[in-house]
Amino acid sequence: MSERKVLNKYYPPDFDPSKIPKLKLPKDRQYVVRLMAPFNMRCKTCGEYIYKGKKFNARKETVQNETYMGLPIFRFYIKCTRCLAEITFKTDPENTDYAMEHGATRNFQAEKLIEEEEKRIQQEREEEELNNPMKVLENRTKDSKLEMEVLENLQELKELNQRQALVDFEGMIDQYREMEKREREREKEEDEREMKIFYVLLTEKLWAVFSSSFLQGASAGGAKKAKVESWERSVGTLGGKGALGSLIVRKKPVMTVSKPSSVTETAAPISQTGNTSLSCTLWPLLFEVSGILYLTFVFLSPNYVLRVGTCSHL
């Protein structure tokens, strides 16, 4: 077994290679090769999509009587993965690509079609220029005009890039900050103006409440006094000489030594009765004024930002 690994074989002195029999194989014989699909295709039989790079066990053969500049062209046979229909394609050395032959249609070959269209237009132009000198001049004029347009567009792009390269980002940031500062100052001035408006409205409301309460107290005192006077005129007082005066017997005053403090003691009940009527009138007013002052303190505190709509209901 070691002789099969050597680099040189032994050839006897009487070895004649012409006497070795040669295999007579057909020229169109096929080989089984492992390959990948060279492009995206779709089966014509079942519509199955076969994507580029899918592996197949294909049969390979040489195309008879067809070469390109001495290079042989090979044909490959594969089977659809779904319906097992036969699909064939061959090499295209002219375009360094593969050409579809039978069993499927090639997909996504827009680039190839564009290249073929460009080649066809170029060939037609060359054929026209060979027989028509005026066409040559016209084509040159069009080419020069197109070249000038391309240069102008390129110059515009260069200028645009230069303008973008000279953008001062720091200046833009400073300008934005200055704009924000002016906006904050404007909002602060608006808040102060609205606070002044609110204060004026609140003062007017307070004065209106105070005046209305005072007028109500005065009117209530006048009505009570008028009611007492009408009662005394109709019936009389207990201490007077009218109809009710005969019901009361007055005691004779006892002679006592009056002290200096008696004046204040006798005057106190009168003042208390007068203060009672006054307090009954002013207590509601004091409650309302204290509530308004509390609201004023709350709304005028710096933690509240007031708007015109907040005090519009006043």
Side-chain angles (χ1 to χ4, degrees), residues 9-253:
K9 303 290 186 179
Y10 171 74
Y11 295 99
D14 57 349
F15 175 74
D16 187 4
S18 61
K19 294 181 181 180
I20 299 175
K22 294 182 179 180
L23 295 176
K24 293 181 179 180
L25 300 176
K27 293 182 179 179
D28 57 348
R29 68 184 296 261
Q30 296 179 350
Y31 300 91
V32 177
V33 294
R34 182 76 171 174
L35 58 80
M36 292 187 292
F39 46 76
N40 298 321
M41 64 185 81
R42 185 182 183 187
C43 180
K44 289 183 178 179
T45 305
C46 64
E48 177 73 10
Y49 285 97
I50 301 173
Y51 298 98
K52 180 178 179 181
K54 189 172 182 61
K55 294 183 178 181
F56 292 93
N57 292 324
R59 291 179 288 114
K60 168 190 168 186
E61 69 177 9
T62 303
V63 180
Q64 300 297 322
N65 302 325
E66 187 176 353
T67 58
Y68 174 74
M69 299 180 67
L71 298 175
I73 295 175
F74 301 101
R75 181 181 286 114
F76 300 93
Y77 298 86
I78 62 174
K79 290 185 178 181
C80 176
T81 57
R82 184 177 181 183
C83 65
L84 301 179
E86 192 173 59
I87 300 172
T88 62
F89 56 90
K90 61 182 180 180
T91 57
D92 186 9
E94 182 179 0
N95 299 315
T96 63
D97 198 3
Y98 290 85
M100 195 72 218
E101 272 193 331
H102 173 71
T105 55
R106 183 170 178 175
N107 301 330
F108 308 113
Q109 52 179 351
E111 185 177 358
K112 182 180 179 181
L113 295 176
I114 291 173
E115 291 177 356
E116 292 178 355
E117 185 67 18
E118 290 178 353
K119 289 182 180 179
R120 185 182 63 79
I121 293 173
Q122 185 67 23
Q123 290 178 359
E124 291 178 356
R125 179 177 177 178
E126 291 177 356
E127 291 176 358
E128 289 179 356
E129 290 178 354
L130 288 175
N131 301 324
N132 191 355
M134 293 300 296
K135 194 69 175 178
V136 176
L137 182 60
E138 183 179 352
N139 292 335
R140 288 179 181 177
T141 305
K142 289 181 179 179
D143 293 341
S144 61
K145 185 177 180 180
L146 181 62
E147 186 177 359
M148 291 176 63
E149 291 179 356
V150 171
L151 291 175
E152 290 177 358
N153 294 333
L154 182 61
Q155 186 65 26
E156 290 179 359
L157 291 175
K158 288 182 178 180
E159 292 177 356
L160 180 62
N161 291 334
Q162 290 177 358
R163 287 198 298 270
Q164 291 180 353
L166 297 177
V167 173
D168 187 9
F169 293 100
E170 296 293 334
M172 291 175 63
I173 294 173
D174 294 339
Q175 185 178 2
Y176 179 73
R177 290 175 179 173
E178 185 68 22
M179 184 174 63
E180 282 187 343
K181 184 178 179 181
R182 290 197 300 268
E183 186 68 20
R184 287 195 298 269
E185 291 178 355
R186 185 181 63 80
E187 290 179 356
K188 185 177 180 181
E189 292 176 358
E190 290 181 357
D191 293 340
E192 291 178 354
R193 184 170 62 255
E194 292 170 0
M195 291 291 293
K196 290 179 181 178
I197 294 172
F198 174 74
Y199 181 74
V200 171
L201 294 175
L202 189 61
T203 306
E204 293 178 356
K205 179 67 176 178
L206 182 62
W207 177 253
V209 171
F210 181 78
S211 60
S212 62
S213 301
F214 183 77
L215 291 175
Q216 288 176 2
S219 61
K224 186 175 180 181
K225 185 177 181 181
K227 186 176 181 180
V228 171
E229 289 178 354
S230 63
W231 171 264
E232 290 177 354
R233 282 196 304 270
S234 62
V235 178
T237 60
L238 295 175
K241 297 181 180 180
L244 298 178
S246 60
L247 299 177
I248 300 174
V249 178
R250 296 179 177 273
K251 292 182 178 182
K252 294 181 180 181

